[in-house]
Amino acid sequence: MWCGQQAHKRPSGEIMVMNEAEPGSPGTAHPETPQDGLDGLRSATLTMNQALGLAVVVFSPVLTAATVGVFMGGVAGSSGWLSAAAGALVMVCIGVAIVPFAQRHVVSGALYSYIGHVFGGGAKFVAGASLAVGYVVGLMVMLGVLGLYVGSMLTSVFGVSGANGFTGQVIIYAVAITAAGILAYRSLDASAKLSIGLLFLSCPVVLAVLIGNLFSDGFDFAGQFAFSDFSFSGFTLGLVLSTTFLVGFESSAATALETKDPIRTVPRIIILVPFIVGGIAVLGTLLTVPSLGAIGDKLAAGESPIAAMARHSGLGFLAEASDIALVVTSFSVLVGFMNYAPRVWATMANDGLLPKAIGRVAPRTQTPGTAIAVMCVPALAFPVALIAITDASPLEMYQYLATLFPYLWVIPYILICTGAIVVLRRNGELTVVKTIACLIGAAATGWLYLNSIVNPTGTTLDDMTWVAPVSIVAMMIIMGARRLVSRSGEQAEEGR
């Protein structure tokens, strides 16, 4: 049982964290662990269960179970579950690559910090630019899905006209991002408990509909194992789509400094999250795909998949409740991610890549309050501008952002998988299994982006393939300019 931490300083000034164990209890593999992150955060705030719960919430098994089957079935047919399983396996492989870093370093910058420890400043700079954009886009995606379901709920359940229009969506986004920001600022522990509670609140309704769907007329569960309509192109596209449900799963490492016994807890979470959410994605696909033909008209009319399945399976009285459940779970996802993203931005600010003020930790709440406030601005402004300029519907806006989001993790994932091989080989811990896992993670992540070029959709969503590198380069320019200004200021101070 973990009893506490003692901080030690090396002559270089690097802070070390000594994990103490009770006599007779197993120690950690790395008793002295570098602490690399923000000062002022509240240590040992999250227990193992809370940290795991928050990580699972952010990649919501409820939202995944309710929607993944439609995506898988749409591109891979009745073999969609195979794509979902392969996508989960890819993310587990990436998790295997991240674990060696989580076992050695207690950080607040997640992948950004880990990459710096193996490759140094250059790779850290590139990964930081990609992740800085990625975390803002992640908040936009979660606002988008929340706006989609809140708008649908207000229209269908409460008869509120205009909820899906420009004004209605702006109000939804503004209220949601403000509420999530306040909760994240007040306390990591409180927002974690709220997010987990909302997840459990929304789970029973969606679970009941999926189980009820299993007994609906014409539901051919066994036919999904015949592979009669299997195609490699469908499988590949399904694989790409399934991984998007788990991109960023390692973000829980951003709260390592605030987690009890992080050297044991964080590695476990990084492996468990893709297993849990990936497994639910497979199950959700199996319980959804056979009914897609029967609910196709309802989906085309704009009804949510879970509500359409509720009506088809004779559980129509749960249709409206299922939409409300998705609103609840979508908000819990937004709150959870709001606890991860600002910590990474604040860490970058402390390293001089972003304005130093963004790295401040509020003394009273011990949370990165400035980063939370600053990130809310682009996360709200960009979706509002996108809707205003393009007149996009809530669904279209969500599709644009959800397509862009995984592309921003391609560079960091390839770097971390490569870095894991370097670190494990350096320490004599590289095995055949770990090598294969790292290679699968890097190759699959690279294919996730290349597939968008090789197999374009022929729609405006293809534009996101090029928006990703352009936005990364733009952020690199901003960060580079910021670094130059910072160095110039330091040199001026030294010259006085």
Side-chain angles (χ1 to χ4, degrees):
M1 184 175 69
W2 183 83
C3 297
Q5 293 181 330
Q6 290 182 336
H8 302 272
K9 272 194 176 180
R10 287 180 170 175
S12 63
E14 182 180 41
I15 299 175
M16 310 297 292
V17 176
M18 174 73 79
N19 292 317
E20 289 186 324
E22 289 181 345
S25 67
T28 60
H30 307 276
E32 284 195 346
T33 308
Q35 177 177 313
D36 172 19
L38 300 173
D39 293 327
L41 297 174
R42 183 177 298 157
S43 63
T45 299
L46 299 178
T47 64
M48 168 64 186
N49 290 338
Q50 288 175 330
L52 176 60
L54 182 62
V56 170
V57 164
V58 171
F59 300 91
S60 177
V62 175
L63 199 58
T64 298
T67 58
V68 68
V70 176
F71 290 99
M72 296 300 99
V75 299
S78 62
S79 305
W81 68 270
L82 197 59
S83 294
L89 177 61
V90 167
M91 287 304 171
V92 169
C93 287
I94 293 173
V96 170
I98 297 172
V99 161
F101 297 92
Q103 290 174 330
R104 290 167 168 81
H105 307 286
V106 179
V107 303
S108 59
L111 278 188
Y112 163 74
S113 297
Y114 292 153
I115 289 169
H117 280 290
V118 62
F119 289 124
K124 191 177 184 181
F125 176 78
V126 175
S130 188
L131 290 169
V133 178
Y135 277 107
V136 175
V137 172
L139 288 173
M140 295 178 193
V141 170
M142 285 149 202
L143 270 184
V145 72
L146 184 62
L148 179 65
Y149 285 119
V150 171
S152 175
M153 179 194 71
L154 292 176
T155 301
S156 61
V157 179
F158 299 104
V160 178
S161 61
N164 289 316
F166 175 76
T167 302
Q169 288 293 297
V170 170
I171 293 173
I172 292 169
Y173 294 160
V175 171
I177 197 76
T178 301
I182 291 172
L183 288 168
Y185 171 75
R186 289 186 60 186
S187 168
L188 173 62
D189 177 58
S191 53
K193 289 178 180 177
L194 175 65
S195 296
I196 295 168
L198 292 176
L199 174 69
F200 281 106
L201 185 65
S202 60
C203 183
V205 176
V206 173
L207 182 62
V209 172
L210 288 175
I211 293 176
N213 197 47
L214 181 63
F215 299 99
S216 60
D217 293 337
F219 192 95
D220 184 13
F221 186 84
Q224 297 177 92
F225 301 93
F227 306 111
S228 56
D229 60 350
F230 177 85
S231 69
F232 184 73
S233 61
F235 168 79
T236 303
L237 186 54
L239 169 62
V240 171
L241 288 173
S242 67
T243 57
T244 63
F245 282 85
L246 278 165
V247 165
F249 72 95
E250 77 297 329
S251 298
S252 56
T255 58
L257 288 168
E258 300 154 280
T259 302
K260 293 180 180 178
D261 195 4
I263 295 302
R264 288 194 184 100
T265 301
V266 175
R268 291 175 185 173
I269 292 172
I270 287 173
I271 290 297
L272 284 173
V273 168
F275 263 118
I276 294 171
V277 181
I280 289 172
V282 174
L283 184 60
T285 301
L286 287 169
L287 295 177
T288 300
V289 170
S291 64
L292 290 181
I295 65 174
D297 291 341
K298 294 183 176 65
L299 295 178
E303 193 165 14
S304 70
I306 197 70
M309 283 188 285
R311 299 186 196 283
H312 174 66
S313 60
L315 299 173
F317 62 94
L318 289 179
E320 294 178 348
S322 63
D323 278 342
I324 295 174
L326 292 184
V327 169
V328 171
T329 196
S330 296
F331 181 68
S332 71
V333 170
L334 177 62
V335 172
F337 200 71
M338 185 64 81
N339 282 280
Y340 293 150
R343 282 164 172 78
V344 179
W345 261 48
T347 303
M348 293 179 188
N350 271 1
D351 288 347
L353 298 185
L354 295 172
K356 205 71 175 178
I358 294 177
R360 292 174 185 163
V361 174
R364 185 174 63 85
T365 62
Q366 296 179 286
T367 56
T370 305
I372 291 170
V374 170
M375 291 192 77
C376 285
V377 176
L380 174 61
F382 186 84
V384 170
L386 185 63
I387 295 175
I389 295 170
T390 65
D391 198 29
S393 68
L395 177 59
E396 290 171 332
M397 202 279 298
Y398 167 69
Q399 287 175 327
Y400 283 127
L401 296 173
T403 302
L404 174 62
F405 180 54
Y407 297 157
L408 297 166
W409 256 259
V410 171
I411 293 174
Y413 278 164
I414 291 176
L415 285 173
I416 202 69
C417 288
T418 306
I421 294 176
V422 173
V423 168
L424 291 171
R425 187 173 182 275
R426 182 188 299 158
N427 290 278
E429 300 173 8
L430 187 63
T431 64
V432 173
V433 172
K434 290 177 181 178
T435 301
I436 292 174
C438 293
L439 292 176
I440 289 175
T445 303
W447 176 246
L448 185 151
Y449 183 74
L450 290 177
N451 180 73
S452 66
I453 300 173
V454 176
N455 298 305
T457 64
T459 68
T460 52
L461 293 176
D462 294 333
D463 295 341
M464 299 300 104
T465 303
W466 309 112
V467 169
V470 169
S471 62
I472 292 171
V473 171
M475 182 56 74
M476 288 175 66
I477 293 172
I478 293 171
M479 287 181 163
R482 166 63 193 167
R483 180 180 282 180
L484 287 174
V485 170
S486 177
R487 286 177 179 174
S488 298
E490 290 174 0
Q491 290 173 357
E493 286 292 329
E494 291 174 359
R496 291 180 181 177

